Amino acid sequence: MTQDTVRPSGPVAPAAPTADWSLVLPLKPLALAKSRLAPYAGPHRPDLALSFALDTVSAALATPGVSRVLVVTRDATAGVRLAALGALVVSDEPGGGLNEALAHGASVARALAPLAPLAVLSADLPALRPAELARVLAAVPPDGRAFLPDSPGVGTALLASTPGRPLSPSFGDGSRARHAAGGALELRLAGVESVRRDVDTGTDLGEAMELGLGPHTSALFARLGRS
């Protein structure tokens, strides 16, 4: 694997997407993000976290059926860069952790578009492809909650709810079991690995590179001369 890895161009036919999705992504302050990647990125770790978020948001905004992308973050630098892509930055994060941030972002999204379906997903999906995300969103049932497990199969990559249904996020270690126990439908889809492959470790990063990194992360690696 090298920094020249590009996104595969093979066909991934999305199902017909439901229109008008709101997507919410949480992003830690860059100085605190992706601590387990320090051995690979060193002082450039904040830049790596930002490149992940830029690629994730770019792909989300390009996904058929997605009308708005909200990013919950207190990081001013990230906020400016993500807003320039077209994301709505929700800066008044309430504190209290990931699930509180997601619930806050969801409430803002619902206020903006009360009749829109809503999904939350990680901001560290540097290989995310719009066609695959569209397939996941199209598989969400029209009435209820659903989730997509992450690649290891113990966490959650995406949680969705339809209008009038609470989101009830319960992310963190073991979230797959909690979301299932809470009544959310588990989506069992093949060919959507770019949605499932969040990146926390060097191994995760290698797998994302095999899937094909987005342009911002690829450009960062090129500047650093890293493989």
Side-chain angles (χ1 to χ4, degrees):
M1 294 179 295
T2 70
Q3 68 268 26
D4 296 324
T5 303
V6 297
R7 291 178 186 271
S9 57
V12 179
T18 301
D20 200 35
W21 278 92
S22 298
L23 301 186
V24 176
L25 290 72
L27 182 62
K28 287 182 180 180
L30 297 177
L32 304 177
K34 300 300 156 196
S35 58
R36 284 183 282 174
L37 289 175
Y40 303 91
H44 302 286
R45 179 174 51 81
D47 297 323
L48 191 61
L50 177 58
S51 72
F52 289 174
L54 291 169
D55 280 329
T56 305
V57 168
S58 295
L61 286 167
T63 298
V66 172
S67 295
R68 62 200 64 82
V69 174
L70 295 80
V71 181
V72 183
T73 186
R74 297 178 181 178
D75 192 288
T77 298
V80 169
R81 294 288 303 278
L82 294 166
L85 294 178
L88 173 62
V89 177
V90 181
S91 59
D92 53 342
E93 182 182 342
L98 173 60
N99 291 306
E100 287 76 6
L102 289 173
H104 176 58
S107 69
V108 174
R110 285 263 161 83
L112 287 172
L115 300 181
L118 170 69
V120 299
L121 70 161
S122 300
D124 57 352
L125 301 170
L128 182 63
R129 285 180 259 169
E132 294 187 9
L133 179 57
R135 287 189 62 221
V136 175
L137 296 176
V140 176
D143 184 18
R145 296 166 64 235
F147 72 97
L148 182 74
D150 62 8
S151 290
V154 295
T156 302
L158 177 145
L159 175 68
S161 65
T162 52
R165 295 283 185 170
L167 184 65
S168 303
S170 186
F171 284 79
D173 292 343
S175 65
R176 177 184 186 177
R178 288 194 300 276
H179 286 138
L185 172 71
E186 180 171 328
L187 301 176
R188 301 176 183 270
L189 301 173
V192 294
E193 283 306 311
S194 76
V195 190
R196 301 181 64 200
R197 182 64 283 167
D198 57 345
V199 174
D200 290 312
T201 68
T203 299
D204 299 342
L205 182 56
E207 293 179 3
M209 292 178 75
E210 290 179 352
L211 292 171
L213 296 173
H216 294 93
T217 307
S218 295
L220 175 63
F221 281 164
R223 290 196 303 272
L224 298 179
R226 300 285 181 87
S227 62

